Amino acid sequence: MTFYEFIRGIIVAILTWLGDGVTWIVLQINWQPLTGFAGWVGGIIMSEPSINLLTILSGIITVFLIIFINLIMMMWFELKLFARFYHGRGPTEVGYAGLLQNIAHGIKLFMKELIIPKKVDKWAYLIAPIIYIGTSFAVFVAIPWTEGFYLGRKDLAGGFLIVFAIFSMAPFLIFISGWASNNKFSLIGGIRSATQMISYEIPLLLSVVGVILLAHSLSLTEIVGAQSQTLGILPVWFLLLQPLGALLFFTAAVAELERIPFDLPEAEAELVEGWKTEYGGLRFGLIMFTEWARAFAGCSLFVLLFLGGWQGPLMETSLFGMDLGPIIGLVWFFIKVYIVFGVMVWVRASFPRVRIDQLLRVCWNTLLPLGLINIFLTVMVITLLSGFGVTYAIGFALGSFFLMVLLLFVRPEVEPLPPEGTLTSGGKKERTPALRTLVLKPLWVTMKHLFRRPATLMYPYETLKKPHTTAYYPVTKKIARVYEDGVFGVPDIWRNYRGAIGLDVDACISCGLCGRICPNRCITYVEFPGRDKNKKVPRVDFGVCMFCGLCAEYCPKGCIFLTSEYDLSAFDRNDLIYGPEKLSMFRGLKPETRFPERARELPSWEISKCIGCQLCSRRCPTGAITMIDSAIYIEKYGITWDETKKRPKSLPEFTGDKCVSCGTCAEVCPRRVITMDTPDSKGGIDK
Amino acid sequence: MIDFELISFIIIASIMIISAIMVLRSREVVHSAMFLALTFVMVGCTYILLNAEYIALVQIIIYAGAVTVLMLFAIMLTKRKIMDHHPDEKEVNTFFELMASCILVFLILISILAPVFCPETYKETFDRELTSPGSTSDLGSLIVQEYMIPFIIVGIFLAVAILGGVFLAREKEED
């Protein structure tokens, strides 16, 4: 059963069912004009042309939907695989493993305004990409995906040529839209594209001639059928019979699809976006989408021509008498397409973009002669094997020899034209690219990198911390995977890193030194349950904090410390303000070593100014200041008090060994009696 | 019963004729090239209606895909600026226009009416029966069996033309 018959069966069934319903209703009404009209309409709808039209339309819509979903999958596949070649992870956030990323892109492009620049040739500017997109999707009419997958009633006899004819329309349209954009970048991109595509069409066609000769047909279905033989378990695909042709086809197809390394028409470093520069919004999105559609078509063509199409094991399966062959064929086809596409991504990850002269030289000097040689070899082998007679074989041999000589004669000198002043190694000829260093080595290097562990850290969920345990992550309320030390080649990163600060609330004496020393004023103080109202504890705004670590260096009790935790990303800025509870969660990360003791400042008194307000004594967090009776004080320290001033009841006495140099006393003193003195001063009464 | 083939032929032919007229009428040379491409594609479609699938596809590949691009290159290489309009270009002389049209109409009439007036000459062409009309394999066997000598001669001519082109395009070596 072909795809056409399948769709047609469904359509006929639906129409019959609807028709029965309508007939029943009409008969119930039983009104003569209505019956006549309904019979007339029904006759038209149920006629052969109308059913054919409906079938073809529904087939196209079905295939288009499949292509649409598949293209989104292919884009995702490319993003993921390409990221893995560079130790990345690709999209992860939107949908499962970032599957819906491209849909998000699409929605974003959909929201954008469609701008038509003022000085474009409006008519050509609008119509050229439409035809480009339309023709590119029309390619799928001729590409069979599985057994009996024809959109029409029968197989297209010239399947390959139809694909090719439709493909060949693209350079003209790209050229036109590049010109119509009225922008030099677009024009250069369009010209490059046209040059490239027109040049590479020739090796593309030549490389397939061998396959067509072997299969005796232009129809893609028959080409696939010709690859059904097996040699033991090994299937004889045309990849084995035509390795050179397959290589040429792949190279030419990559160039034809304008993918890296042949994406000169949209060389973003030089040409902004090439011929697409002036297109925005959904137009741009559709053009990009079409590029992937073309890539899909190219990969399918490679699979059909060289990889045996939909053929694979388990093709003869049937379930409850139903032949499952076509469905399994579909699965094989898509697996193969994705493998070929993966190789394309691999190539994309391996090579830098080539220059335009290199590109054209590769085409005309390498691919074209190789393609011709491939054809001659194929023809010779076929004639020799199929017993056309020795005369024919000799004729072909002579002819091919003659043409190869001709080719060598025609082949122009491989001499680039270096502009004056450029580097040429002592006037020598440019060396031909070495296969090993320029092609195989990059491929090998990228392949090695594919199997490495991704270096990207999933920021809120993973950390790069020393203790390789799981840890509760306070911001996102998730269990964070903690990586082992040294995995990423930076073993001591956590040790030398000044990360977020943590707090040991129990040890805090509420001296307020951290808040005073903080250069960014990110530390404020809040009350803490179970503590005295005046004994406030620090709260840190990590949105402001620059991780300088001064607070930890100055903290007299070592209750503020630096942790290796530095990934504090949150979805809300308020989440970045860490109260004492959150800060205490870092207690497990408290390092064993502390900062060395700092040279300390100590308070000194100008006692004659003192009014005896007792603030310093009350606010001192360590009790280093006590108030004693002024008479005793004066006697003890031998001060001469100016008797014109009123003598306060008590005066502050300082015990140096308890002091933590927090400076609270100096701050609270209303008369500036106390000042914090230089480091290493002894402190005490200023005489 | 509606003749779909006739309807499609009428549509295709009218698009072809209108675009062919537009090739001449467009003020912008690039628009002319676009209409020319459309004309070529429609000629290809006409071939499909005539069951000549291979010729149709080759027509689209070569004419619509390649020849028009060559024309565009020629236009781009000769024009000084993109979108450079010349509103005061001289119109073509009406007399020559009429003369050219008359000659064209005359030639077309000859080619249409010749089989009608002297059918004996064309009898063989119309009566030839192919196994499957327009099929690619038939075309191939015709070329390499019946018309082998002309095919080879054409090939040699093309090879010579390519050699000449390469010779002309080659940069002169400095002595």
Side-chain angles (χ1 to χ4, degrees):
Chain A
M1 188 163 67
T2 64
F3 183 73
Y4 181 84
E5 285 164 7
F6 177 69
I7 296 280
R8 190 191 162 92
I10 294 175
I11 293 283
V12 168
I14 292 174
L15 282 183
T16 322
W17 183 70
L18 278 178
D20 285 349
V22 172
T23 315
W24 184 77
I25 294 168
V26 166
L27 285 179
Q28 292 297 309
I29 296 170
N30 201 8
W31 182 44
Q32 191 57 38
L34 184 67
T35 321
F37 179 72
W40 181 67
V41 170
I44 285 181
I45 289 177
M46 291 301 283
S47 67
E48 193 67 9
S50 125
I51 288 181
N52 282 348
L53 193 69
L54 279 175
T55 312
I56 289 173
L57 278 180
S58 355
I60 286 170
I61 289 168
T62 318
V63 168
F64 184 77
L65 282 178
I66 298 173
I67 290 170
F68 190 84
I69 295 165
N70 178 54
L71 285 185
I72 286 170
M73 284 296 296
M74 265 171 96
M75 286 172 172
W76 173 82
F77 180 70
E78 168 152 15
L79 286 174
K80 277 292 198 189
L81 193 63
F82 195 61
R84 288 313 305 273
F85 277 115
Y86 290 118
H87 313 179
R89 284 173 195 259
T92 52
E93 285 299 307
V94 193
Y96 175 74
L99 260 174
L100 302 180
Q101 184 68 47
N102 293 305
I103 293 180
H105 284 325
I107 292 171
K108 174 211 165 203
L109 286 172
F110 196 74
M111 303 281 194
K112 290 197 161 192
E113 187 188 353
L114 286 175
I115 298 167
I116 299 175
K118 202 174 169 188
K119 289 199 169 176
V120 297
D121 186 307
K122 201 171 167 190
W123 194 75
Y125 171 85
L126 289 179
I127 203 127
I130 293 175
I131 306 177
Y132 171 70
I133 294 164
T135 47
S136 300
F137 276 97
V139 164
F140 293 100
V141 166
I143 293 180
W145 292 349
T146 179
E147 245 172 349
F149 191 92
Y150 317 134
L151 285 181
R153 238 171 300 182
K154 55 179 184 166
D155 184 26
L156 291 163
F160 170 71
L161 270 186
I162 291 175
V163 175
F164 206 80
I166 298 172
F167 257 154
S168 74
M169 288 298 294
F172 175 71
L173 297 164
I174 288 174
F175 201 156
I176 287 287
S177 48
W179 170 83
S181 298
N182 201 357
N183 171 342
K184 59 184 171 187
F185 298 118
S186 301
L187 184 64
I188 295 172
I191 289 177
R192 277 188 183 183
S193 177
T195 322
Q196 176 179 336
M197 285 177 145
I198 286 225
S199 312
Y200 275 85
E201 262 171 26
I202 297 160
L204 195 68
L205 253 185
L206 287 182
S207 60
V208 185
V209 171
V211 170
I212 292 167
L213 287 172
L214 287 174
H216 278 290
S217 173
L218 279 174
S219 147
L220 287 168
T221 318
E222 283 175 35
I223 288 174
V224 170
Q227 303 177 58
S228 56
Q229 290 127 336
T230 48
L231 199 74
I233 6 166
L234 193 72
V236 186
W237 293 340
F238 285 153
L239 182 66
L240 299 177
L241 300 179
Q242 291 276 318
L244 184 60
L247 190 67
L248 289 176
F249 183 85
F250 187 79
T251 318
V254 171
E256 187 78 9
L257 300 171
E258 292 179 4
R259 292 179 62 84
I260 294 174
F262 301 112
D263 71 329
L264 287 152
E266 57 151 300
E268 63 271 353
E270 318 156 21
L271 295 180
V272 191
E273 193 56 39
W275 64 275
K276 314 182 197 83
T277 305
E278 295 293 341
Y279 291 96
L282 203 58
R283 272 189 210 115
F284 176 76
L286 275 176
I287 289 172
M288 291 308 277
F289 199 65
T290 310
E291 305 241 306
W292 264 277
R294 291 169 74 85
F296 177 42
C299 294
S300 329
L301 219 52
F302 188 86
V303 169
L304 293 169
L305 292 173
F306 294 104
L307 291 182
W310 50 82
Q311 286 167 357
L314 299 173
M315 280 293 281
E316 279 84 36
T317 322
S318 60
L319 192 71
F320 305 122
M322 217 172 74
D323 185 21
L324 281 183
I327 292 166
I328 287 167
L330 205 63
V331 172
W332 280 121
F333 177 78
F334 274 99
I335 288 174
K336 285 173 187 175
V337 165
Y338 272 78
I339 288 171
V340 175
F341 189 64
V343 176
M344 271 192 185
V345 177
W346 181 21
V347 167
R348 181 186 161 189
S350 303
F351 300 113
R353 182 179 297 132
V354 296
R355 267 195 337 252
I356 184 86
D357 62 319
Q358 292 169 335
L359 177 103
L360 293 179
R361 216 167 352 130
V362 164
C363 174
W364 294 105
N365 287 350
T366 316
L367 298 186
L368 188 67
L370 282 179
L372 288 175
I373 288 168
N374 185 40
I375 295 174
F376 295 141
L377 290 178
T378 317
V379 169
M380 272 171 70
V381 172
I382 289 176
T383 22
L384 286 176
L385 289 182
S386 59
F388 260 114
V390 186
T391 335
Y392 279 91
I394 290 171
F396 275 122
L398 277 177
S400 51
F401 178 74
F402 172 69
L403 276 168
M404 275 157 78
V405 170
L406 205 67
L407 270 174
L408 290 176
F409 177 68
V410 168
R411 187 176 158 152
E413 283 294 309
V414 187
E415 202 163 11
L417 303 163
E420 277 179 37
T422 46
L423 288 172
T424 46
S425 45
K428 284 180 196 165
K429 277 186 181 179
E430 194 176 272
R431 289 180 60 192
T432 44
L435 182 76
R436 194 174 61 83
T437 50
L438 286 186
V439 178
L440 298 181
K441 206 173 168 188
L443 285 174
W444 169 240
V445 168
T446 38
M447 181 44 89
K448 265 198 308 193
H449 283 231
L450 176 62
F451 296 107
R452 289 199 187 167
R453 190 173 185 169
T456 322
L457 265 148
M458 298 308 299
Y459 213 26
Y461 315 124
E462 289 176 0
T463 63
L464 194 65
K465 284 199 295 268
K466 166 75 174 174
H468 54 101
T469 51
T470 50
Y472 179 71
Y473 191 66
V475 177
T476 48
K477 303 197 169 54
K478 281 190 178 178
I479 302 292
R481 267 177 285 158
V482 182
Y483 275 32
E484 279 174 51
D485 183 25
V487 166
F488 304 106
V490 196
D492 289 331
I493 183 167
W494 68 276
R495 249 174 252 148
N496 299 326
Y497 202 90
R498 290 194 163 192
I501 59 174
L503 175 69
D504 194 352
V505 183
D506 304 332
C508 182
I509 53 168
S510 311
C511 62
L513 184 57
C514 40
R516 241 170 275 138
I517 209 74
C518 179
N520 277 9
R521 297 175 181 263
C522 51
I523 298 182
T524 45
Y525 291 90
V526 288
E527 289 170 20
F528 191 71
R531 281 172 83 108
D532 187 56
K533 224 180 177 181
N534 287 331
K535 301 261 178 190
K536 290 183 174 175
V537 284
R539 181 183 78 168
V540 182
D541 183 358
F542 280 116
V544 185
C545 180
M546 61 178 189
F547 296 172
C548 66
L550 273 179
C551 44
E553 268 178 59
Y554 274 85
C555 182
K557 292 288 175 184
C559 58
I560 284 191
F561 50 87
L562 286 180
T563 66
S564 57
E565 181 72 56
Y566 56 88
D567 42 353
L568 298 163
S569 63
F571 297 107
D572 190 347
R573 277 198 85 78
N574 283 334
D575 287 346
L576 286 174
I577 299 175
Y578 276 44
E581 298 92 346
K582 262 185 168 179
L583 286 175
S584 307
M585 282 174 168
F586 291 136
R587 256 185 298 191
L589 300 171
K590 188 173 180 178
E592 288 145 22
T593 48
R594 279 191 56 187
F595 289 103
E597 286 283 314
R598 296 184 63 87
R600 300 195 304 168
E601 294 177 336
L602 287 173
S604 60
W605 272 256
E606 202 176 335
I607 200 71
S608 54
K609 282 187 188 169
C610 183
I611 54 167
C613 66
Q614 301 190 356
L615 262 178
C616 46
S617 156
R618 259 187 280 146
R619 296 294 287 276
C620 180
T622 52
I625 300 172
T626 43
M627 300 304 288
I628 55 174
D629 189 78
S630 53
I632 301 170
Y633 190 93
I634 287 169
E635 199 179 316
K636 189 175 177 183
Y637 290 99
I639 305 161
T640 44
W641 189 266
D642 184 8
E643 289 297 334
T644 53
K645 275 172 74 183
K646 195 193 166 201
R647 186 157 55 96
K649 224 175 185 181
S650 54
L651 286 169
E653 190 190 25
F654 173 64
T655 34
D657 50 343
K658 275 187 186 172
C659 180
V660 292
S661 316
C662 64
T664 315
C665 40
E667 193 170 83
V668 295
C669 184
R671 289 292 162 93
R672 298 179 181 272
V673 175
I674 306 172
T675 46
M676 293 306 284
D677 220 342
T678 47
D680 291 327
S681 66
K682 283 178 182 166
I685 304 158
D686 184 18
K687 298 276 167 64
Chain B
M1 194 60 210
I2 316 159
D3 191 351
F4 282 102
E5 210 164 284
L6 185 66
I7 291 177
S8 24
F9 174 71
I10 289 169
I11 293 172
I12 287 170
S14 46
I15 294 177
M16 187 160 76
I17 289 168
I18 290 169
S19 58
I21 292 169
M22 288 303 286
V23 172
L24 300 172
R25 298 304 304 171
S26 313
R27 298 212 59 84
E28 188 65 61
V29 195
V30 179
H31 288 181
S32 296
M34 286 182 76
F35 282 115
L36 193 64
L38 185 61
T39 317
F40 285 147
V41 172
M42 287 304 146
V43 171
C45 294
T46 325
Y47 284 141
I48 287 179
L49 287 182
L50 293 171
N51 263 337
E53 200 185 63
Y54 182 78
I55 300 289
L57 294 173
V58 169
Q59 162 86 18
I60 291 176
I61 292 176
I62 290 177
Y63 281 90
V67 170
T68 43
V69 176
L70 283 184
M71 286 182 172
L72 277 183
F73 269 119
I75 293 166
M76 299 286 163
L77 290 177
T78 48
K79 268 195 149 185
R80 269 185 223 154
K81 288 177 186 169
I82 52 172
M83 308 260 174
D84 196 8
H85 293 279
H86 295 286
D88 51 340
E89 259 176 50
K90 257 192 179 176
E91 290 288 326
V92 187
N93 195 321
T94 323
F95 174 70
F96 288 118
E97 236 178 15
L98 274 175
M99 281 289 285
S101 327
C102 286
I103 292 170
L104 195 66
V105 168
F106 180 66
L107 288 175
I108 291 172
L109 279 179
I110 283 179
S111 55
I112 291 174
L113 296 179
V116 181
F117 286 121
C118 31
E120 294 82 23
T121 327
Y122 294 89
K123 199 171 184 304
E124 201 192 337
T125 319
F126 287 136
D127 289 352
R128 181 199 296 281
E129 280 197 7
L130 298 170
T131 43
S132 55
S135 83
T136 314
S137 52
D138 272 336
L139 197 71
S141 12
L142 268 184
I143 283 178
V144 286
Q145 284 162 11
E146 204 164 322
Y147 300 106
M148 185 73 184
I149 303 295
F151 179 64
I152 287 177
I153 289 171
V154 168
I156 288 170
F157 266 118
L158 284 177
V160 170
I162 290 172
L163 281 178
V166 170
F167 180 74
L168 284 176
R170 201 170 183 174
E171 286 196 14
K172 292 212 171 75
E173 283 167 27
E174 288 169 25
D175 294 316

